[in-house]
Every structure is written in structure tokens, then in C-alpha cells.
Amino acid sequence: MTDELLAMLQPVVAAADLELVDVELRSGVLLVTVDRPGGVDLQALTDANRAVSGVLDELDPIPGNYTLEVSSP
């Protein structure tokens, strides 16, 4: 499942000028970690969260309920 999510989210995160570092699904939480040279500010995290959320809502790859968390290392 994580490989599919990585492939699905990579272009979305790249379009936000970010690097997709990791995707992890555990205990009902989807953790998406992004980064870029110089670091990631709050606006970039907000934009990435909205973009990732939109793709996940559209494609619905995860059955059931989960919480999305987008963060930087």
C-alpha cells in the first residue's frame, strides 16, 4: 500500500516544489513527510496538505477513516 501511495503522491508533492520523503500508514493515521532544500515553512505544509488531501479524496485509495498528517523532518 505505501508503494502505491508514494507513486500516487509523488507528482502532487513535486508540483508543490517539495520532495516526498516518506509515506506511512499506521493506526489510522497517514503520515506524509515532505522536505526541500532550505526547509519547509508552514505555508508549504498547508499547500501540500491541501494538494495531498485532494488527491486522496478523489482517488480514495485507503478504505475506512484515517487522519492525514503532512509534516517535515
Side-chain angles (χ1 to χ4, degrees):
M1 160 95 46
T2 16
D3 289 339
E4 294 169 15
L5 289 171
L6 278 167
M8 181 184 314
L9 298 178
Q10 177 65 35
V12 174
V13 171
D17 197 29
L18 295 166
E19 173 191 353
L20 184 58
V21 175
D22 192 28
V23 174
E24 188 176 346
L25 181 61
R26 61 177 174 196
S27 304
V29 178
L30 178 62
L31 303 163
V32 178
T33 307
V34 298
D35 201 6
R36 72 173 161 206
V40 180
D41 59 12
L42 185 56
Q43 187 61 51
L45 288 174
T46 301
D47 294 344
N49 188 304
R50 287 183 181 140
V52 167
S53 180
V55 167
L56 293 173
D57 286 348
E58 181 181 325
L59 300 177
D60 199 23
I62 302 170
N65 296 327
Y66 62 92
T67 300
L68 173 63
E69 290 184 12
V70 178
S71 63
S72 61

